[in-house]
């Protein structure tokens, strides 16, 4: 008899006739059913579209277009040189400037990126990690130039370096000094930018690297626990800083497994924060952004991806997401075209305003299957967390290669299942068309690098270079003496020190990993 299981290997029974009864209400500890008692009846999730490419000028045009179409928050993609602390004129940036995100070399670029966009009225999420303090400082500097009250601006920086070592690769410095920069951001924002989410602890990239749903949940929460412990070791109040932590999860194809994963995540995080001393409900709640699965998209029969994205987005909503990005159907081929981005946004809007699934809170609660699966995913994820705790936490587990190895094994298993036909992937190993639709693709030309280099050259002629050197020297000293680096980064940014110059200060002090 054929066995059925989730992507994490949890067996699915033929029929479910009972489950542990759930007595809590939405908005109550441990928040399995949602962090707000009224959820989407009170406020819809934030509909974001991840965008950023080429120059700041080009990305600014796309942001204005998305906002005009009903996007409720911006989500910024940065190019690889920006993510790993190289200016566009660095030799390591060749071939990558503006390709997978927007090139940001200095505050000048950031000013252009948000020109005509009131930063006090829009929330912005930035996928940036190793250089997160620098990009956050640039964002704050732009808001100040706009005359905004920085205590009122809101958004999120990803700022999650541990998953970079485990799954994504855009780290610069060794783990321990990287953790210091993260807690510097926690401390600074709690005082100066209190509405800012100082970290988005990311399972998304762990899943993109090939993990199962259970591994994504376990490794993400283990990393979150490490950040809590690092902040506590610095003397920060968990009831203050934990309120500004958020999470970023993937949403894959297995509909019920994904819903149960999100429900289990809230319950587990509430227990973790409580065990570490959080007493206020706001510090115990897991708030999360979700994005449909990039690695689930196929270059073959790309219009099938519209259905995949819809299925995944519906699961995220039924799982209680606070914010959602839907992928363009063409993203297995190129950056999303404007038309694909529009369809992706409309997918969210149709779910929100036409499907009826947002009309009541946690509509699948009480389902024998969903409640049983929530419990089983929690139990399986907890086994991983216990093992990581026994190793001394996420930093040690990553340094030992444990988390990376587990992800690699899962990715290999998944791929072999596709190649053997055990796992069906439409258009790839089943219902294959010899000649499929070839949609328009969106490519970035290498000439973008010259434009950025010209801007950097002009900037260095116009700015006061002695003042820049003084601010960089002050940052170096703060790095040495243990001061919070954020005020010094902001001071350097405001006199137009470049991203690469600031990153090089840390390279000199911390070394590279």
């Amino acid at each position: 008899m054929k066995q059925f299981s989730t992507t994490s290997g949890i067996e699915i029974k033929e029929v479910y006739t009972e489950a542990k009864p759930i007595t809590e209400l939405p908005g109550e500890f441990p928040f399995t059913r949602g962090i707000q008692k009224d959820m989407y009846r009170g406020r819809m999730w934030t509909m974001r579209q991840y965008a950023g490419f080429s120059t700041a000028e080009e990305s600014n045009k796309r942001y204005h277009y998305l906002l005009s179409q009903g996007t409720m928050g911006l989500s910024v993609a940065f190019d690889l040189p920006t993510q790993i602390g190289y200016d566009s004129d660095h030799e390591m940036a060749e071939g990558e400037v503006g390709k997978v995100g927007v090139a940001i070399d200095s505050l000048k670029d950031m000013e252009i990126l948000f020109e005509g966009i009131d930063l006090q009225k829009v929330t912005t999420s930035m996928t940036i990690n190793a250089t997160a303090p620098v990009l956050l400082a640039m964002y704050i500097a732009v808001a100040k130039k706009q005359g905004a009250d920085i205590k009122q601006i809101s958004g999120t920086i990803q700022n999650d370096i541990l998953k970079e070592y485990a799954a994504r690769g855009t780290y610069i410095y060794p783990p321990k000094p990287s953790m210091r920069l993260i807690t510097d951001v926690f401390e600074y924002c709690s005082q100066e930018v209190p509405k800012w989410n100082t970290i988005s602890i990311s399972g998304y990239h762990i899943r993109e690297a090939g993990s199962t749903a259970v591994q994504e949940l376990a490794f993400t929460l283990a990393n979150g626990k490490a950040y809590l412990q690092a902040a506590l070791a610095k003397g920060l109040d968990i009831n203050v800083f934990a309120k500004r932590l958020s999470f970023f999860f993937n949403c894959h194809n297995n509909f019920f497994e994904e819903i149960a994963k999100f429900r289990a995540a809230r319950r587990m995080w509430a227990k973790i924060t409580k065990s570490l001393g959080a007493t206020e409900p706001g510090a115990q709640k897991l708030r999360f952004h979700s994005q449909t699965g990039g690695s689930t998209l196929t270059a073959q029969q790309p219009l099938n991806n519209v259905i995949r994205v819809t299925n995944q987005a519906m699961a995220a909503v039924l799982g209680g997401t606070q914010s959602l990005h839907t992928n363009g159907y063409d993203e297995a081929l190129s950056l999303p075209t404007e038309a694909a981005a529009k369809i992706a946004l409309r997918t969210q809007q149709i779910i929100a305003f036409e499907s009826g699934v947002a009309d009541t809170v946690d509509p699948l609660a009480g389902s024998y299957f969903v409640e049983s699966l929530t419990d089983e995913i929690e139990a399986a994820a907890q086994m991983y967390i216990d093992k990581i705790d026994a190793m001394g936490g996420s930093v040690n587990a990553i340094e030992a290669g444990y988390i990376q190895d587990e992800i690699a094994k899962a990715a290999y298993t998944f791929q072999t299942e596709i190649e053997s036909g055990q796992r069906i992937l439409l258009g790839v190993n089943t219902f294959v068309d010899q000649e499929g639709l070839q949609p328009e693709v969106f490519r970035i030309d290498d000439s973008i690098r010259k434009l950025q280099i010209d801007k950097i050259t002009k900037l260095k002629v116009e700015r006061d270079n002695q003042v820049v050197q003084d601010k960089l020297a002050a940052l170096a000293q703060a790095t040495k003496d243990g001061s919070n680096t954020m005020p010094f980064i902001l001071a350097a940014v405001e006199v137009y020190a470049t991203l690469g110059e600031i990153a090089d200060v840390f390279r000199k002090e911390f070394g590279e990993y």
Side-chain angles (χ1 to χ4, degrees), residues 41-205:
R41 290 167 68 99
R43 178 184 174 185
M44 282 292 178
W45 65 91
T46 301
M47 299 178 195
R48 297 189 186 277
Q49 287 305 111
Y50 188 44
F53 55 88
S54 184
T55 62
E57 290 87 348
E58 290 301 312
S59 292
N60 177 263
K61 291 176 188 175
R62 176 67 67 90
Y63 294 160
H64 279 284
Y65 170 76
L66 290 170
L67 289 168
S68 76
Q69 295 299 309
T71 288
M72 298 152 63
L74 299 175
S75 188
V76 184
F78 297 98
D79 72 357
L80 284 175
T82 302
Q83 292 183 51
I84 54 176
Y86 292 125
D87 290 334
S88 296
D89 60 357
H90 194 285
E91 63 181 3
M92 290 294 288
E94 185 176 352
E96 289 295 344
V97 175
K99 290 291 180 72
V100 299
V102 61
I104 300 293
D105 292 312
S106 73
L107 178 58
K108 286 280 189 191
D109 287 323
M110 201 66 130
E111 290 167 352
I112 295 166
L113 187 67
F114 292 105
E115 188 174 350
I117 298 170
D118 188 340
L119 298 189
Q120 205 164 309
K121 291 183 179 177
V122 67
T123 65
T124 303
S125 173
M126 295 187 278
T127 301
I128 196 73
N129 297 283
T131 54
V134 185
L135 273 299
L136 175 59
M138 289 181 183
Y139 191 88
I140 292 169
V142 172
K144 288 170 67 177
K145 280 176 170 284
Q146 290 185 356
D149 178 357
I150 65 167
K151 291 190 183 298
Q152 298 303 315
I153 63 171
S154 59
T156 304
I157 45 171
Q158 195 161 99
N159 201 28
D160 173 9
I161 204 65
L162 291 179
K163 66 93 179 45
E164 295 296 328
Y165 300 115
R168 190 163 177 263
T170 66
Y171 49 80
I172 305 172
Y173 323 112
K176 288 182 174 62
S178 293
M179 292 290 279
R180 176 207 165 165
L181 293 178
I182 287 168
T183 54
D184 280 357
V185 171
F186 288 178
E187 183 178 50
Y188 176 83
C189 288
S190 68
Q191 298 164 7
E192 304 297 333
V193 199
K195 291 190 174 181
W196 195 267
N197 296 324
T198 51
I199 191 169
S200 178
I201 304 158
S202 176
Y204 186 86
H205 304 101

Side-chain angles (χ1 to χ4, degrees), residues 4 12 21 38 73 80 170 175 209 244 325 334 339 353 401 435 469-470:
F4 291 81
I12 299 173
D38 57 353
L80 284 175
T170 66
R244 301 321 313 167
H325 162 70
S334 69
F353 303 118
E435 292 187 20
Q469 292 307 312
D470 291 344

